[in-house]
Amino acid sequence: MFSEEILKLGTKKSTIREIFEYGKKRASVVGKENIFDFSIGNPNVPAPQCVKETILEIVNNEDPTLIHGYTSAQGDDDVRESIAKSLNDRFDTKFTKDNLYMTVGAAASISICLKALTNVGDEYITFAPYFPEYKCFVEGAGGKLIVVPADIETFQINFIEFEKSITEHTKAIIVNSPNNPSGIVYSEETIKKLAKILVEKSKEYNHPIYLISDEPYREIAYDGVKVPYLTKYYNNTFVCYSYSKSLSLPGERIGYIVVPSEMEDFNLAYAAICGGGRVLGYVNAPSLFQKVVGKCATATADISIYETNRNLLYEGLTKLGYKCVKPGGAFYLFPQSLEADAKEFCKKAREKYDLLLVPGDDFGCPGHFRLSYCVQTEQIERAMPLFEKLAKDYLK
Amino acid sequence: MFSEEILKLGTKKSTIREIFEYGKKRASVVGKENIFDFSIGNPNVPAPQCVKETILEIVNNEDPTLIHGYTSAQGDDDVRESIAKSLNDRFDTKFTKDNLYMTVGAAASISICLKALTNVGDEYITFAPYFPEYKCFVEGAGGKLIVVPADIETFQINFIEFEKSITEHTKAIIVNSPNNPSGIVYSEETIKKLAKILVEKSKEYNHPIYLISDEPYREIAYDGVKVPYLTKYYNNTFVCYSYSKSLSLPGERIGYIVVPSEMEDFNLAYAAICGGGRVLGYVNAPSLFQKVVGKCATATADISIYETNRNLLYEGLTKLGYKCVKPGGAFYLFPQSLEADAKEFCKKAREKYDLLLVPGDDFGCPGHFRLSYCVQTEQIERAMPLFEKLAKDYLK
C-alpha cells in the first residue's frame, strides 16, 4: 500500500530523536535540571539582533503582497546578489546571483542536488563519521550511499579506503566540514588531496565526479581555523548551505545552493538544480526569510558561547581520561566510548547518571559517542562530576 | 551526467511562467499599463491584518530561540491543534492535532503524499483540465500520471472515461476543487459518485485507492457555493492544503496534510507521510509561519475583490460571445478559444492586443484558454474593449 522504504523511515525515528524524546519524558519525572541532555544539535544562542530588526522593518514598512508573494524559483534577485557579495568579500570568490539558488535549508539543498544528479545505479560516497540523514536523502533520490570508514586518529579523510571505494558508478562525494558529529574541520591539505583524486578519477571514468559540500557549520570555527571554500579547490562542487546554525534559524528552513560558473556545463547544472527543486515541490524558499538572510548575510549569532563550551568539555573530559580528537568547529565532541560497545556505554551513562549521549554507531563510527554542546554552560559544569563518576566506573 | 528528466524540467519552463516573463519584458517596451497580464495566479490581495499583527506580536515578545527553533517534524502541537479546531468548526469534522502534518505549502504536501505512496508501477489519475505541475510531482516520485479527458459542458468529472482509466495499478486519484484552471467546484453529487466508484474499485482490486485532494482554493468560493469536505465522503483521503491563496502567503510556503483517523491503517499512513517529508529533506514547515497560520487559522484575505472580478469578466466575456462554464471558485476563468487551436488564439491575443492568456493545452484541455483574474479590477475594465475587438476578429 505504502512505499515500504518510506514507511520504515517514518516509523523508525532517528536515534538522536529517540534519545531527545526520552530526555523530555525523563525530565518530567526527575526534573529538568537533573537531566543532562547532550543529544540534539538545536542552537541555544538567539538569532542576532539583525534578524529581529529586519523582520520588523520589512513587516512594518513594505507591501504585504510583495513581502509574502512568490519569488522566482531560484530566489529573489536582490537577495542572491547580497549573498554573492558576502561570499565574495569573505572567501575571495567571484559569484553573482546566477551562481545561487535559494532553498528551504541544507537538507533541501542536498535533496535537490541529489535529485538533479541521480540516474539509476549511481553511487554517492561519504566519510564516517557522517550525518545519518544522508542515507535517507541519497536513497530517497534513488542512489546508493557508500561510507568510507573513519580515520579515527584525526577524523580527516581515510584516503586509502576512499580511493578503493570510487567506481565508475560514483556520481558524487558528500563532505561536511566543520563536521557533524566529530567537529573536525578538513585541512587545506585534505581538501587539495581530495580534489586531486577527484580530478584524476573523473578523467579515468570519463565523467565528472561531483563534490557536494554540506556546510551549515561553516561560520562556527574556533582558534582562527580556516574552513577552505571548496569551489576554489574543485570546480565541480555544489555548496549546500543553511542559515540554521550561523543565524540560529533552524526552524525557518532557509539556505542556498552555490553552483560555481567553473563547473562543467554550468548552464545545464544550474538548470538541473532548478528541475530538482521543481519536481520535489519546493516552489521557492520562504519569501520573508529570503529577505532577512539577504539583509543579514554577513551577521552571525553570538557563537562565542560554543567556544567556551567546547573548551570546558574538551579539557574536562580529556583530563578525566576520555580520548577525543580536538574539534575545530561545529558544536559537537566525538570522544571514544569507555567500552567497545558505544550503545552499552551510552545506555549506562543514561541509566546511571542521566547523561544523554548519542552512540557513534549511527554515524558510521562505532566505539565513539557524540556530545552536542549547544547547551547552557552551567549544564556542562554540573555534568562534569557525573562524567567523572562514569569514567571511574571504567578506568579504576 | 545529470538526471535527464530533471534537466528537462529545469530547462523547459512552464508555459505560464514563459508568458509571465514575456509580459514583464513587453511591459518595459510599451509600459506596464498597456499590458493586460492574465497569466499568473499570484494573489493580488494583501494578507489580512491578522498576519501582520501576529508576526509583530511574536517577534516583539517571544524568545527568538523558540520562534525560530526546530519544531517536531509533523509541526508544532499548538499550531496543529488550532488548525484542527478551525477545520472542525467549519466543516463539522473531528480532527485532532494527530491528523495534521504541517508542510511547506501544497506542492510539498502533494509531493510528500506521492513519495509516501508510490511503489514501482503505480498510476495516478487526475481530471482535465488539471494543474500541469501534477505531472512533474507524480513522475518525480516514480509514478505515472493518467489524465481523464474533460467533460467540457460542466467541468465536473467525466465518469465514463474515469471508470475506464482505473486499473489494478491505480494508487490514487488527484482532485482539485475549486479547480485551477476551470474555477469549477465539484458538486456534492460528483463527490458522492466519485467516492462510490473508489469504494467499489478498491474492493475489486483488493487494495485501497486513495484520494489526494489538492485544495488551496477551498476558501475562495462564491454565491454561497459549498465545497464538500472530502474526508467526510471517502475515508482514504489525504487533504493537501496551502495558505497561499486564503491568507495571500504564496511565497511563505506554508500548508498541511490532513490524514483522517478513518483512513485504513491510519497509523501506518501517518508514518508514511512522516517518512516522505523526511526523505525529501523538508525537516519541518517554517516555524514562524506555523505560528502565524495557527493564530490566523480561520482568517482570510479580503477575497471579495475576486468575486467582483469574476462577475465582471464572466458577464463581460459571455456578452461578447465567448463560451464559458461559470466558475464557482478560485480565481480563474476557462473559456473556449475562438479558434480550435488555443495556442494560435492566445498568440493572436498577445501579439495584436497585448492580452496575455494561457492556452488550455498544458492543462490537458485544448480549445480553451485560462484567464487568471487576481488582478486589479480596472485592468479587467480596460481590457474589455480589447476582448471585444478580439471577438470581432473571429465572430463577424
Side-chain angles (χ1 to χ4, degrees), chain B residues 345-355 357 390:
Chain B
F345 174 77
C346 292
K347 190 168 171 237
K348 187 169 186 176
R350 182 171 71 240
E351 291 181 353
K352 208 163 167 191
Y353 303 111
D354 281 316
L355 288 169
L357 316 172
L390 181 63

Side-chain angles (χ1 to χ4, degrees), chain B residues 330-347:
Chain B
F331 36 55
Y332 307 103
L333 215 64
F334 199 61
Q336 289 180 22
S337 52
L338 299 178
E339 62 180 300
D341 185 339
K343 287 183 187 171
E344 276 304 311
F345 174 77
C346 292
K347 190 168 171 237

